[in-house]
Amino acid sequence: QLRDRLAHMAKSPNDSTQEEIDYVKRHLRRRFPPTPKCNMTHIGSCINHFEPLVVRALHLYITTHATGVQHQILCLLMRLVNLRVNYAMLDSDQKFVKSLMRQLSYIEQGHFVRDADDIIPSMFQFLILLSYGRHNVKAIVTVPQIIQLCDGIMASGEMAVSHAIPALEAIVNDLFVVQYAGTDDINDQEMDTQRDAVLAML
């Protein structure tokens, strides 16, 4: 039903009703619940104690082929980034991100990935978080690059329900829900362009 409504919005954006837009927002918010507010100072001190474990998890992701383990590691990293941990300090040489990009390239080339519908949305959600740019550090990856990666997944010929749609769902959630209320006119124009590109992909 969500796919049908998104498809209708893509074909007739001017005819989309508020009810359809609200339905999409509700669905995506259930799928991607917001991170609750907490005491950041306390969390920061706790994170320092298990930083070696996080670094080890990054290495484990690169060396394992178990997508279930990789999914859990990505969930851990996303939680840390949402808690404002400086990811650039954990992966200063971007070795982990480059490995993630290679993995997506393999998927694009048609290589089999177990539980693709679990690991692919996690990969795209993580990349989207890195696109924000925090701690006065330039964004590690840009939204146009992420959209291009998704386009490559769509062109791979793999089943849409397990590959392209999970990737698109993460991007739609960011552009149409998380980033929907912008204040900068330039950023709004850029975001509108990105939204149009995603709608065209649908």
Side-chain angles (χ1 to χ4, degrees):
Q1 190 177 5
L2 174 65
R3 292 198 301 271
D4 293 340
R5 297 206 181 201
L6 286 173
H8 176 262
M9 291 169 67
K11 291 179 182 178
S12 308
N14 294 329
D15 296 334
S16 299
T17 65
Q18 187 61 42
E19 181 184 356
E20 287 177 317
I21 295 172
D22 291 341
Y23 173 86
V24 172
K25 285 183 178 181
R26 286 196 304 272
H27 176 87
L28 293 172
R29 280 173 181 152
R30 286 196 301 269
R31 183 72 182 265
F32 305 97
T35 303
K37 295 182 179 180
C38 2
N39 187 322
M40 295 301 173
T41 304
H42 175 68
I43 290 172
S45 64
C46 292
I47 288 172
N48 289 335
H49 291 296
F50 67 86
E51 182 177 348
L53 177 62
V54 177
V55 174
R56 185 177 176 182
L58 293 176
H59 178 71
L60 176 61
Y61 185 102
I62 296 173
T63 56
T64 185
H65 294 290
T67 53
V69 174
Q70 291 179 330
H71 170 71
Q72 293 301 323
I73 292 172
L74 286 172
C75 288
L76 169 64
L77 293 175
M78 287 188 284
R79 180 55 58 91
L80 292 175
V81 173
N82 278 323
L83 293 174
R84 301 182 183 178
V85 171
N86 188 347
Y87 172 80
M89 296 186 67
L90 295 173
D91 187 28
S92 57
D93 56 359
Q94 295 187 16
K95 184 178 179 180
F96 179 79
V97 172
K98 291 175 183 175
S99 173
L100 201 67
M101 295 294 194
R102 284 195 300 271
Q103 188 178 8
L104 284 170
S105 177
Y106 293 148
I107 295 173
E108 181 180 339
Q109 293 168 19
H111 291 272
F112 173 75
V113 177
R114 188 182 300 276
D115 299 324
D117 53 342
D118 284 331
I119 189 66
I120 288 177
S122 298
M123 296 168 77
F124 276 87
Q125 290 168 42
F126 176 66
L127 290 174
I128 287 168
L129 285 179
L130 297 186
S131 73
Y132 292 164
R134 295 170 175 174
H135 305 283
N136 297 320
V137 177
K138 184 179 178 181
I140 296 173
V141 63
T142 65
V143 173
Q145 287 175 321
I146 296 172
I147 293 175
Q148 186 175 7
L149 287 170
C150 183
D151 192 46
I153 297 288
M154 293 179 66
S156 68
E158 298 293 335
M159 290 182 60
V161 70
S162 61
H163 288 68
I165 291 175
L168 271 171
E169 191 174 36
I171 298 174
V172 168
N173 174 67
D174 181 66
L175 291 178
F176 290 87
V177 179
V178 178
Q179 303 288 343
Y180 193 77
T183 54
D184 189 297
D185 291 339
I186 296 177
N187 288 339
D188 281 350
Q189 293 174 6
E190 182 179 358
M191 202 170 296
D192 285 342
T193 302
Q194 294 166 359
R195 289 179 182 134
D196 289 342
V198 172
L199 289 173
M201 292 167 68
L202 291 171

